[in-house]
């Protein structure tokens, strides 16, 4: 299963607390997002993820990030997660997620890692940390990857530079601290979400 959302931008809510999730995720979905990730190093993610699956699972691809172990995939599958995002390549994590019918977006930095992930069954790739490599690096790497594999830039993506990553061949991007920082207001999240949506639409015109 390849990436199947209307807007290929992943809203990453690292550090969000359970009592905050509904407000912030409503804000990004209202802005046009339909992919949401809560990293597993966020407080009480075991409460936050089921809550947003229940509230938004019918209208968005809901998932978890910083997934490091196959056993975590089992827990997330029980919660109803449909997306698994990793910072590294762990073939068994990918195998396990694919077996559950999940979309998997593993983090990679080199051609070897990218092809290892694809061989394990990954349907998309996360170039991380993107800002450390730059758009030219991703453009060069894209030249040897299968053309139908979605590549997402993650790390250092802002509304101002999003077009650089799209022009380099990325399908979309994962948006972290420039979209949401732990403790910020829902209004701030809504404002940043709108900026990102507008930047994406301008980039693909």
């Amino acid at each position: 299963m390849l990436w199947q959302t209307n807007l290929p931008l992943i809203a990453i809510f690292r550090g969000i607390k359970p009592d905050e999730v509904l407000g912030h995720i409503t804000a990004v979905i209202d802005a046009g997002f339909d992919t949401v990730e809560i990293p597993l190093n966020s407080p009480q993610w075991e409460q936050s993820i089921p809550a947003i699956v229940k509230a938004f699972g019918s209208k968005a691809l809901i998932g978890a990030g910083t997934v490091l172990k196959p056993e975590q995939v089992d827990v997330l599958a029980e919660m109803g997660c449909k997306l698994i995002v990793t910072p590294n390549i762990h073939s068994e994590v990918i195998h396990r997620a694919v077996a559950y019918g999940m979309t998997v977006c593993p983090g990679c930095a080199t051609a070897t890692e990218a092809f290892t992930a694809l061989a394990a069954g990954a349907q998309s790739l996360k170039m991380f940390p993107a800002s450390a490599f730059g758009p030219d690096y991703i453009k060069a790497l894209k030249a040897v990857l299968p053309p139908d594999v979605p590549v997402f830039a993650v790390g250092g993506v802002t509304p101002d530079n999003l077009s650089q990553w799209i022009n380099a061949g990325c399908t979309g991007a994962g948006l972290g601290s420039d979209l949401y920082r732990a403790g910020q207001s829902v209004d701030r999240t809504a404002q940043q979400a709108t900026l990102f949506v507008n930047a994406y639409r301008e980039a693909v015109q």
Side-chain angles (χ1 to χ4, degrees):
M1 180 175 63
L2 293 180
W3 204 267
Q4 295 177 340
T5 62
N6 295 318
L7 182 77
L9 299 177
I10 307 169
I12 303 170
F13 288 92
R14 188 178 306 279
I16 198 164
K17 297 177 181 177
D19 60 353
E20 301 172 314
V21 291
L22 296 182
H24 286 275
I25 292 168
T26 296
V28 298
I29 288 178
D30 286 349
F33 280 75
D34 56 359
T35 308
V36 174
E37 167 197 336
I38 293 184
L40 297 192
N41 55 0
S42 302
Q44 297 173 291
W45 61 266
E46 301 94 334
Q47 296 179 34
S48 297
I49 291 176
I52 63 170
V53 167
K54 182 178 179 181
F56 307 108
S58 63
K59 61 179 74 171
L61 184 66
I62 304 296
T66 319
V67 180
L68 302 174
K69 301 175 183 178
E71 307 82 67
Q72 292 173 327
V73 178
D74 296 332
V75 173
L76 293 162
E78 277 193 40
M79 291 178 175
C81 269
K82 300 297 183 185
L83 171 68
I84 296 294
V85 183
T86 75
N88 63 334
I89 303 303
H90 188 316
S91 293
E92 185 52 38
V93 167
I94 297 171
H95 286 309
R96 191 77 58 94
V98 170
Y100 281 116
M102 294 169 158
T103 297
V104 190
C105 191
C108 61
T110 66
T112 297
E113 292 176 344
F115 281 103
T116 298
L118 295 176
Q123 313 96 333
S124 57
L125 297 170
K126 161 186 162 181
M127 291 304 304
F128 174 80
S131 59
F133 297 101
D136 288 345
Y137 179 87
I138 292 180
K139 188 174 183 179
L141 188 58
K142 278 280 295 180
V144 299
L145 293 173
D148 61 338
V149 174
V151 174
F152 292 80
V154 181
V157 181
T158 70
D160 290 336
N161 69 27
L162 177 60
S163 62
Q164 297 176 22
W165 307 105
I166 301 300
N167 292 337
C170 291
T171 298
L175 313 172
S177 59
D178 270 276
L179 174 66
Y180 171 82
R181 292 178 187 269
Q184 78 181 26
S185 69
V186 172
D187 286 345
R188 170 70 177 174
T189 299
Q191 178 185 26
Q192 291 303 105
T194 298
L195 289 175
F196 272 114
V197 171
N198 290 341
Y200 174 79
R201 289 173 178 162
E202 290 176 12
V204 298
Q205 279 182 350

